[in-house]
Amino acid sequence: MIEEIFLGNGFAIIKNNDEYKIEWPQGPFDQAVSYRITKELVEKAFRSSNDTYEVMIYAETARWPSRNTED
C-alpha cells in the first residue's frame, strides 16, 4: 500500500493502511520526530493550532497538556 501524506501547519500526518503517524521537525537541526496516533487524534490535529499542539504533546508524552484555568 502507498503511504498518504497530509500536510498541516508545521506537521504532517502519514497514513499507511489504517495506521497513522504524526510527524514534525524538532530540535536545533529540525530532525523529524514521528509518533503513532489514532484516527480520532488525526481529526483533532486538523481542527485548530491549539488542538494540534495538544495532540503533539499527547503523542510525545502520553499525557494531555495541563490547562491553565486561571484568568
Side-chain angles (χ1 to χ4, degrees), residues 1-6 14-19:
M1 180 60 119
I2 297 174
E3 283 187 343
E4 293 180 76
I5 300 172
F6 305 94
I14 295 96
K15 180 183 179 191
N16 191 352
N17 296 321
D18 288 331
E19 292 184 357

Side-chain angles (χ1 to χ4, degrees), residues 2 10 24 27 35 41 50 70:
I2 297 174
W24 67 88
Y35 299 94
L41 290 179
N50 187 57
E70 295 180 37

Side-chain angles (χ1 to χ4, degrees), residues 22-64:
I22 187 167
E23 192 170 280
W24 67 88
Q26 189 175 53
F29 301 108
D30 283 340
Q31 291 185 314
V33 293
S34 179
Y35 299 94
R36 192 176 284 175
I37 61 172
T38 65
K39 184 175 187 198
E40 292 77 19
L41 290 179
V42 169
E43 293 167 2
K44 179 176 174 66
F46 281 107
R47 279 190 221 141
S48 71
S49 45
N50 187 57
D51 284 322
T52 302
Y53 169 76
E54 289 181 357
V55 171
M56 289 174 158
I57 296 299
Y58 182 78
E60 208 170 24
T61 66
R63 298 182 76 168
W64 291 106

